[in-house]
């Protein structure tokens, strides 16, 4: 997305601000819209209770700062954003704020609400000096389908409010199996976040993938097969851009691996094969008095809590395969965990479209505000907002991607698959869109672009094509033309729209 759409959005905000200058609440909302455009992309982490949301968030950040226990803080919405120094601020529902002390316990950030209870808290703002938070705000949410309806309602009111746009630009949704409540939530998020654009901006993560197959060393292979089936499932396919299996506990442990843990893995790797095999049969055997492992019980308990049986088995195998430092062990465990696939997806599908996703949320907010106005310029302002939608090709791509995945098109199966790839369904790089390997040079890219343009112009101009097919073809053609302009610099990494302002938390009304 070009900076033009962002500039247009700022301009529309100013026009609306001039129209409602007399309205104090509207002024606050417009300030929130302005801030949202300048801030990093907001990604919500959602899922059912015990899906592993905080564990994955810690893995993405690379530090243990999100609580993973069942305390009061896991029952609230918590924003994690970049700050020069660590700070924690509690925003109460009565409008007041309280600063919390920054304390660690057993290496983890310890969040303590003190005398406050979760129902008293609107949201918690955590600023942390992590490079991984410079371009993304990560938002941890309470589990849906909780036995406590109040807990589930907090996530619903934040990510899928009934009378406002979602405060998140995109979500990573964790699931262990596809339940009706998962599909319902994703449908509501699509309808709330996308509005009239009907875009898809969710990633489904098959979490706790290491538990599939009782934690066997090949558990992630089995999980990948299950994710593949979900990826092609009709209902989930229309609601999520991809399904990726992740062993969250392994990823978190690997990203925060300590030297003493590497030393423990080295001890396990040096055991006789028969002793090692018996000791790693189960958690009970690993912790048993007669395990035969020359590690004290406290060390074994800590290792099990941090990595699980699967992580211990895998880490031991990697050390035996030649990982001769904690850094090498951590890197190889991260690759095995599936976290790299999630990071790559976020970069390719979310950050590369950051500007468009932010403009979409702001456009929805502006439209709702203008529709409530009785000012004479109301029609003109609504037309300006409508032009924001129309001018943002990234949103048209995401809308088409959602349409293609429902299967409701007049295209042949081959054309539908190619259209999905061209609009970014398999990645937003030029090579991925054109279905070429990274080894393809500029000549290969130009030749493929020329052939695909000829093909899709033919589809658009065919007298046999109905109006739907023509509209789809025009969007695809626009995407191909955009690729043609990128080919001279196609070898460079596409980082998306630069984030130009440190992230802030939600503002009243507009968040």
């Amino acid at each position: 997305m070009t900076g033009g759409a962002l500039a247009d959005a700022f301009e529309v905000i100013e026009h609306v601000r001039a129209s409602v200058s007399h309205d104090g609440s509207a002024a606050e909302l417009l300030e929130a819209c302005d801030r949202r455009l300048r801030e990093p992309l907001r990604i919500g982490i959602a899922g059912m209770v015990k899906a592993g949301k905080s564990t994955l968030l810690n893995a993405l950040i690379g530090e243990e700062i999100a609580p993973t226990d069942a305390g009061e803080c896991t029952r609230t919405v918590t924003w994690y954003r970049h700050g020069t120094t660590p700070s924690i601020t509690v925003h109460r529902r009565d409008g007041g704020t309280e600063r919390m002390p920054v304390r660690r316990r057993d290496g983890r950030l310890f969040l303590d609400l003190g005398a406050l209870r979760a129902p008293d808290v609107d949201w918690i703002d955590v600023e942390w000096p992590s490079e991984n938070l410079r371009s993304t705000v990560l938002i941890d949410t309470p589990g849906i389908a909780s036995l406590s309806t109040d807990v589930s309602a907090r996530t619903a009111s934040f990510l899928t409010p009934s009378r406002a746009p979602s405060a998140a630009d995109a979500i990573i949704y964790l699931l262990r199996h596809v339940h009706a409540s998962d599909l319902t939530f994703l449908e509501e998020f699509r309808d709330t976040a996308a509005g009239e654009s009907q875009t898809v901006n969710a990633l489904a993560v098959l979490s706790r993938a290491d538990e599939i197959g009782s934690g066997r060393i090949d558990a992630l292979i089995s999980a990948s097969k299950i994710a593949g089936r979900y990826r092609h499932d009709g209902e989930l396919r229309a609601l999520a851009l991809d399904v990726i299996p992740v062993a969250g506990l392994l990823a978190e442990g690997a990203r925060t691996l300590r030297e003493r843990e590497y030393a423990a893995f080295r001890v396990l790797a040096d055991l006789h094969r028969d002793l090692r095999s018996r000791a790693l049969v189960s958690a009970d055997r690993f912790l048993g008095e007669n395990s035969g492992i020359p590690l004290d019980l406290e060390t074994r308990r800590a290792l099990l809590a941090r990595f699980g049986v699967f992580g211990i088995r895998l880490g031991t195998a990697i050390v035996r395969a030649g990982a001769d430092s904690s850094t090498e062990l951590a890197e190889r465990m991260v690759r095995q965990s599936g976290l790299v696939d999630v990071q790559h997806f976020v970069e390719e599908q979310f950050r590369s479209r950051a500007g468009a996703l932010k403009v979409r949320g702001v456009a929805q907010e502006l439209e709702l505000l203008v529709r409530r106005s009785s000012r004479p310029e109301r029609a003109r302002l609504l037309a300006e907002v409508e032009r924001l939608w129309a001018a943002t090709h990234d949103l048209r791509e995401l809308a088409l991607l959602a349409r293609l995945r429902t299967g409701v098109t007049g295209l042949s199966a081959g054309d539908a698959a190619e259209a999905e790839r061209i609009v970014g369904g398999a990645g937003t790089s030029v090579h991925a869109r054109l279905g070429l390997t990274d080894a393809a040079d500029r000549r290969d890219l130009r030749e493929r672009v020329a052939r695909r343009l000829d093909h899709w112009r033919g589809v658009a101009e065919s007298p046999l094509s109905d109006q739907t097919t023509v509209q789809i073809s025009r969007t695809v053609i626009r995407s191909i033309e955009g690729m043609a302009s990128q080919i001279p610099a196609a070898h460079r990494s596409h980082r998306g729209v630069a984030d130009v302002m440190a992230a802030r938390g939600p503002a009243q009304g507009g968040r």
Side-chain angles (χ1 to χ4, degrees):
M1 171 173 173
T2 66
L6 283 171
D8 290 344
F10 282 121
E11 185 176 357
V12 174
I13 288 174
E14 291 307 313
H15 292 169
V16 175
R17 181 178 281 123
S19 174
V20 297
S21 58
H22 61 286
D23 187 335
S25 61
E28 290 183 13
L29 189 147
L30 290 170
E31 181 61 31
C33 288
D34 188 288
R35 196 161 53 240
R36 184 166 185 171
L37 291 177
R38 300 177 187 274
E39 292 174 353
L41 187 73
R42 302 172 178 178
I43 300 180
I45 313 292
M48 296 180 70
V49 175
K50 294 296 182 181
K53 297 181 295 297
S54 299
T55 299
L56 178 61
L57 189 145
N58 283 333
L60 289 169
I61 296 174
E63 296 190 55
E64 297 175 291
I65 62 174
T68 57
D69 57 13
E72 287 292 301
C73 288
T74 61
R75 297 158 61 88
T76 64
V77 174
T78 305
W79 291 55
Y80 295 89
R81 59 192 180 91
H82 183 268
T84 55
T85 58
S87 71
I88 306 169
T89 305
V90 176
H91 294 254
R92 301 194 307 266
R93 291 195 178 277
D94 63 10
T97 62
E98 294 184 21
R99 294 294 294 270
M100 293 172 56
V102 179
R103 298 198 302 252
R104 282 189 177 273
R105 177 181 293 178
D106 298 326
R108 290 183 175 271
L109 181 66
F110 180 63
L111 299 182
D112 183 8
L113 293 179
L116 291 174
R117 308 294 292 174
D120 304 322
V121 176
D122 188 16
W123 59 286
I124 300 175
D125 181 28
V126 177
E127 292 188 26
W128 203 257
S130 168
E131 289 301 308
N132 295 303
L133 291 172
R134 279 194 180 276
S135 59
T136 307
V137 176
L138 295 176
I139 307 168
D140 200 5
T141 62
I144 67 168
S146 169
L147 293 176
S148 170
T149 55
D150 289 343
V151 173
S152 297
R154 292 185 193 108
T155 296
S157 63
F158 176 73
L159 292 176
T160 60
S162 59
R163 296 183 180 180
S166 175
D169 300 311
I171 64 166
I172 298 174
Y173 187 86
L174 280 67
L175 49 86
R176 300 179 69 180
H177 306 284
V178 178
H179 295 281
S181 55
D182 296 318
L183 296 174
T184 298
F185 179 86
L186 286 169
E187 287 173 353
E188 291 175 351
F189 180 76
R190 179 195 62 190
D191 295 343
T192 302
E196 294 183 2
S197 69
Q198 285 298 293
T199 57
V200 175
N201 56 321
L203 166 65
V205 167
L206 184 60
S207 64
R208 303 177 72 160
D210 51 305
E211 297 179 4
I212 295 174
S214 302
R216 294 193 310 267
I217 199 76
D218 62 349
L220 284 174
I221 297 176
S222 301
S224 295
K225 294 177 180 178
I226 295 173
R229 291 199 295 270
Y230 287 157
R231 192 176 293 122
H232 295 96
D233 175 79
E235 290 183 289
L236 191 57
R237 177 177 166 79
L239 299 171
L241 289 166
D242 202 353
V243 183
I244 298 175
V246 173
L249 191 63
L250 174 64
E252 180 191 40
R255 290 273 279 163
T256 57
L257 183 70
R258 300 151 188 164
E259 283 295 335
R260 65 176 181 273
E261 292 169 339
Y262 173 73
F265 277 115
R266 172 60 67 185
V267 169
L268 295 174
D270 290 339
L271 292 175
H272 187 276
R273 182 180 62 185
D274 292 341
L275 173 58
R276 185 175 60 253
S277 297
R278 288 196 302 271
L280 297 182
V281 164
S282 66
D284 289 340
R285 185 72 64 85
F286 183 70
L287 296 177
E289 292 182 5
N290 300 319
S291 67
I293 301 174
L295 294 172
D296 61 67
L297 181 59
E298 182 180 352
T299 298
R300 282 178 281 150
R301 281 177 174 166
L303 210 62
L304 188 63
R306 289 262 293 149
F307 298 92
V309 173
F310 172 79
I312 294 174
R313 291 171 180 165
L314 181 64
T316 302
I318 291 174
V319 171
R320 284 181 54 78
D324 57 5
S325 70
S326 59
T327 300
E328 184 178 357
L329 175 60
E331 289 175 350
R332 292 174 65 175
M333 291 175 84
V334 166
R335 289 199 298 269
Q336 291 282 345
S337 72
L339 180 67
V340 173
D341 294 330
V342 173
Q343 292 171 321
H344 179 74
F345 178 93
V346 169
E347 184 67 35
E348 279 285 304
Q349 295 288 2
F350 291 161
R351 286 201 189 119
S352 67
R353 292 180 166 122
L357 293 173
K358 291 189 285 187
V359 166
R360 182 195 55 194
V362 167
Q364 288 178 273
E365 196 77 81
L366 293 174
E367 182 176 356
L368 290 170
L369 176 61
V370 172
R371 288 192 183 281
R372 292 195 296 266
S373 172
S374 59
R375 303 287 294 178
E377 58 271 25
R378 177 174 180 269
R380 175 179 59 80
L381 293 174
L382 283 174
E384 290 189 28
V385 174
E386 180 61 30
R387 283 195 292 274
L388 281 180
W389 293 110
T392 309
H393 182 68
D394 289 309
L395 295 184
R396 291 199 296 273
E397 284 189 331
L398 287 172
L400 176 55
L401 189 57
R403 187 173 192 174
L404 291 166
R405 291 187 168 186
T406 64
V408 184
T409 71
L411 300 174
S412 67
D415 279 350
E418 181 175 76
E420 181 176 329
R421 188 185 69 242
I422 288 173
V423 298
T428 57
S429 70
V430 174
H431 289 77
R433 288 174 182 263
L434 292 174
L436 296 172
T437 66
D438 290 339
D441 59 21
R442 296 180 185 181
R443 180 178 178 180
D444 297 329
L445 295 172
R446 292 192 184 100
E447 289 178 352
R448 180 64 64 89
V449 162
R451 289 199 300 270
R452 301 333 299 157
L453 269 178
D454 286 344
H455 172 76
W456 285 100
R457 283 169 177 164
V459 174
E461 295 167 4
S462 171
L464 300 179
S465 296
D466 58 19
Q467 188 60 34
T468 298
T469 301
V470 172
Q471 290 176 347
I472 291 174
S473 299
R474 287 173 177 169
T475 300
V476 172
I477 289 168
R478 175 66 186 85
S479 295
I480 298 173
E481 290 172 342
M483 283 186 274
S485 68
Q486 296 179 46
I487 287 176
H491 63 285
R492 295 176 185 159
S493 174
H494 181 61
R495 296 289 297 181
V497 176
D499 297 300
V500 296
M501 177 177 173
R504 298 182 184 273
Q508 185 177 2
R511 288 192 172 178

